[in-house]
Amino acid sequence: MRTLAATALLLSLAAFGAPKPAPKTTPEQRAAQSILKSLNLHDRVAQLVIGVAYGDAPGSGTRESQKFRHWVKDLHIGGLIVNNRVQYGLVRTASPHTMVVFLNQMQKLSRVPLLVGGDFERGASMRVSDTTRFPYNMAYGAARDIEASRHEGLMTAREARALGVQWIFAPDSDVNNNPDNPVINIRSYGENPEDVARHVAAYIDGAHSDPKNPVLVTAKHFPGHGDTNVDSHLDLARLEASRERMSAVELKPFQAAIEHNVDSVMTAHMTVPAVEPSEIPATVSARVLTGLLREELGFKGLVVTDAMDMAGLARQFSMGEASVRAIEAGADVLLMPPDPGAAIRAVLAAVGKGRLSRKRIDESVQRVLEAKVRVGLNKKKLVDPDALGDTLDSAEEAEQAQSVADRAVTLVRNEGDLVPLAAPNQACVVISSGLRISTFGQRMAEEFRRRAPLARIRFVDNSLPGAAIDAAIGDVASCSAIVLATFTTNPALNGELAPFVQRLTDGPVPVAFVSLGNPYLVKDFPKVAAYLATFSNATPSEASVVKVLFGEIPVTGRLPVTIPNIAQYGDGIQLPAKTRSAPSAN
């Protein structure tokens, strides 16, 4: 009878489906679960917070030092992101050795290793001095070099790990198809979604290719910030695109990133009516983060907010409310809340009221801890300052970056074969560097003077009135040609500079307009005789454009974007080199 009963029970279970065995956990998951069990609720919530630091090492008695120590030692935040200080309008990059000393200090204070991030969109040089100065992404799009993007990912990973950074907030995966976009622009690889997707995938593969330097990489800004005309740092942007258009354009690079095992996706502070009908940022929309990103696209990694101090989010919600809403929507990490303690308290209060469940918190904490284990922080969290010289700012990598910058220069117009310059010693060079104390244009001026010591080179400040600009430049009638270089990434030239350029193009002297920033600027100056774009204001691009003006390198770049009423995607006049390269500077 017992045998018959047991058989009947087995048949009954089979009929209804026997319970499936629990999925096997990986060593990574088990290590994360072990850490998770040791954390109380406060510390679990704190793991979801990334505070902002600046890569310097404030004195132990300063208020700033006490703040960082409080965040790490008392609040137990999950990590830090290295940003830049801005003084008098100028960005100050961190010193590598000082940054490593500071990060090591913070790691020693933290019971759970800190996850350290960096906005390294063009390599560590975006935030840290004495590192390889890679051009902007759009230069890679113009150079049509997928392998170069892969190599940039690899080298950025190596430099990041040498500096104590494990989480790279790159590559930018936006498709920049809006000429009026004030915030993405040359940070994007271009306007063609398939090409952008290929560069994004290559960068991710490259960043993941060195097992000795594991990093997390981030596709941003989901679900696509390229077709917007508002800077989300200043206000709430809006994507006016149908769901079908989003699938065909905006989402393609993110799909490629997910297919290539991207570790994290960063949200955008913008409304997306095609997905979320409420006028709220994607950062706090469950339809965008859970419905679209997790359920439709199948992303299983970390979802990180864009900086929570940006006006696109902060103008709508208090920091505490924004923190709770972001986690409700599906975010795992709260990036740069101005007051980490207040963000933690708000999330804890939401758990206490039943608005957020402990299970929801644990899901995100598990992902954060798994990410820390994946990059080896559970085994080694300190870096060796003495080893920095073995990785940073190598001549070989600088040469690679320069090669991309050279091949990115794109000649869109060349009336009268103005480029290369026929008489550079008689040329007048006007460099609009933005602020008077900016370093933009210094390398360009140095390279031009070395080749043509008699050329007239002048810098203009965008804040100058028109009469002052005219006086600074003087009479241009004797110039063989005027080279006008701008570095802005804004959609238009500021102040009196635009009318000044218009006057120059109306005159008898041919003008070669050179954009080392926003490639669309030339649409406002249809009378320029020649137009060159570098898609990057990094110093290698300054050297590249001088080489082109002197005919020392071939011109091979092609537009990765369309310039309305001027040129189409893929356009670019191809020229061979005409002269020998200039001798190296002493």
Side-chain angles (χ1 to χ4, degrees):
M1 288 294 292
R2 289 179 181 174
T3 304
L4 289 173
T7 303
L9 177 61
L10 289 172
L11 290 172
S12 176
L13 288 172
F16 288 98
K20 296 180 180 179
K24 291 183 179 179
T25 57
T26 64
E28 183 180 287
Q29 290 170 328
R30 290 194 293 274
Q33 288 167 1
S34 176
I35 301 171
L36 178 63
K37 289 176 182 177
S38 72
L39 304 178
N40 60 31
L41 180 59
H42 173 281
D43 289 355
R44 294 182 188 201
V45 172
Q47 284 296 302
L48 310 183
V49 174
I50 301 289
V52 62
Y54 300 97
D56 47 19
S60 58
T62 63
R63 181 177 298 179
E64 189 168 38
S65 175
Q66 292 170 359
K67 177 188 72 175
F68 291 133
R69 291 176 67 89
H70 172 63
W71 288 359
V72 174
K73 191 174 182 180
D74 303 327
L75 295 182
H76 303 153
I77 63 171
L80 295 167
I81 176 174
V82 177
N83 211 331
N84 293 129
R85 295 193 187 277
V86 179
Q87 290 186 324
Y88 311 114
L90 290 180
V91 175
R92 278 178 46 197
T93 52
S95 160
H97 284 85
T98 304
M99 177 174 155
V100 166
V101 168
F102 169 75
L103 292 177
N104 278 348
Q105 289 173 348
M106 294 300 103
Q107 291 284 17
K108 290 175 183 177
L109 289 174
S110 184
R111 183 165 67 88
V112 178
L114 297 168
L115 190 56
V116 181
D119 259 329
F120 291 175
E121 289 181 23
R122 50 187 184 277
S125 66
M126 183 170 173
R127 302 297 184 198
V128 189
S129 61
D130 301 322
T131 51
T132 305
R133 295 176 179 178
F134 294 100
Y136 278 74
N137 285 347
M138 197 170 279
Y140 286 81
R144 297 291 199 271
D145 195 336
I146 302 296
E147 284 304 310
S149 291
R150 190 187 315 276
H151 185 78
E152 185 190 15
L154 168 62
M155 290 313 303
T156 300
R158 289 177 176 171
E159 289 194 340
R161 288 310 304 254
L163 291 163
V165 172
Q166 309 89 28
W167 193 356
I168 298 169
F169 292 122
D172 189 296
S173 304
D174 301 306
V175 179
N176 198 93
N177 52 2
N178 189 331
D180 295 325
N181 194 316
V183 65
I184 301 302
N185 206 272
I186 56 176
R187 297 165 66 190
S188 163
Y189 290 104
E191 72 175 31
N192 183 290
E194 286 80 13
D195 286 347
V196 172
R198 281 191 281 270
H199 282 282
V200 165
Y203 183 100
I204 293 167
D205 289 347
H208 284 160
S209 64
D210 184 355
K212 294 181 180 179
N213 292 283
V215 293
L216 310 176
V217 286
T218 308
K220 61 184 188 183
H221 307 80
F222 189 81
H225 207 329
D227 192 6
T228 59
N229 58 11
V230 171
D231 184 345
S232 51
H233 293 85
L234 307 176
D235 210 339
L236 183 61
R238 184 182 181 89
L239 177 63
E240 294 284 7
S242 68
R243 182 63 181 80
E244 291 74 22
R245 210 294 291 274
M246 288 178 64
S247 292
V249 179
E250 279 80 9
L251 298 180
K252 278 191 177 295
F254 291 98
Q255 290 173 307
I258 292 168
E259 290 169 2
H260 285 255
N261 300 312
V262 73
D263 305 279
S264 62
V265 170
M266 179 181 283
T267 69
H269 300 327
M270 66 180 195
T271 61
V272 191
V275 181
E276 173 55 79
S278 301
E279 288 290 314
I280 58 174
T283 297
V284 295
S285 168
R287 288 186 175 94
V288 175
L289 302 191
T290 299
L292 178 57
L293 180 57
R294 292 238 186 257
E295 294 173 359
E296 289 191 41
L297 300 187
F299 179 63
K300 300 185 185 304
L302 282 171
V303 176
V304 56
T305 71
D306 205 341
M308 298 195 71
D309 60 354
M310 292 166 59
L313 180 68
R315 282 188 178 179
Q316 281 206 308
F317 306 104
S318 68
M319 185 187 56
E321 179 65 14
S323 299
V324 174
R325 283 178 175 249
I327 293 174
E328 279 183 320
D332 300 303
V333 175
L334 306 174
L335 184 67
M336 293 172 58
D339 184 345
I344 293 167
R345 289 192 296 272
V347 174
L348 285 172
V351 175
K353 294 175 183 177
R355 184 175 172 186
L356 288 170
S357 69
R358 292 188 64 130
K359 179 183 177 184
R360 172 68 194 89
I361 299 299
D362 287 353
E363 287 173 355
S364 289
V365 180
Q366 178 72 21
R367 291 191 188 102
V368 170
L369 295 175
E370 284 182 24
K372 292 185 176 187
V373 173
R374 194 179 316 141
V375 294
L377 280 170
N378 58 323
K379 297 178 180 178
K380 182 182 179 183
K381 63 180 182 178
L382 304 181
V383 294
D384 181 4
D386 294 334
L388 284 171
D390 298 334
T391 303
L392 302 189
D393 203 19
S394 77
E396 181 181 349
E397 294 313 315
E399 185 178 338
Q400 168 74 14
Q402 186 65 61
S403 172
V404 174
D406 288 351
R407 289 178 286 119
V409 180
T410 302
L411 182 60
V412 177
R413 178 181 293 173
N414 197 25
E415 293 177 1
D417 295 329
L418 183 59
V419 176
L421 299 174
N425 265 310
Q426 285 75 54
C428 293
V429 181
V430 182
I431 298 175
S432 167
S433 56
L435 294 173
R436 189 175 307 170
I437 54 176
S438 170
T439 59
F440 285 144
Q442 296 297 327
R443 175 75 183 276
M444 180 179 178
E446 176 189 341
E447 295 288 343
F448 205 102
R449 283 195 185 101
R450 187 159 58 86
R451 293 165 171 83
L454 301 181
R456 190 202 307 176
I457 301 176
R458 299 288 185 271
F459 284 79
V460 295
D461 180 350
N462 291 359
S463 66
L464 290 173
I469 295 177
D470 288 336
I473 303 307
D475 184 11
V476 297
S478 62
C479 303
S480 61
I482 298 171
V483 176
L484 182 82
T486 67
F487 288 79
T488 183
T489 56
N490 293 329
L493 296 181
N494 294 331
E496 293 296 315
L497 195 59
F500 168 73
V501 176
Q502 202 67 59
R503 290 194 298 276
L504 288 181
T505 60
D506 286 339
V509 181
V511 175
F513 190 95
V514 179
S515 174
L516 292 107
N518 190 315
Y520 305 99
L521 287 176
V522 71
K523 70 184 187 325
D524 296 329
F525 310 106
K527 294 182 182 179
V528 297
Y531 176 53
L532 285 163
T534 68
F535 313 98
S536 173
N537 55 32
T539 49
S541 299
E542 294 189 35
S544 297
V545 81
V546 173
K547 294 178 190 177
V548 166
L549 290 169
F550 282 79
E552 295 170 6
I553 59 173
V555 183
T556 60
R558 294 191 179 276
L559 280 176
V561 293
T562 295
I563 303 174
N565 304 316
I566 298 291
Q568 298 298 310
Y569 176 90
D571 285 353
I573 299 169
Q574 310 289 286
L575 291 180
K578 291 191 176 181
T579 67
R580 286 186 175 185
S581 297
S584 300
N586 294 327

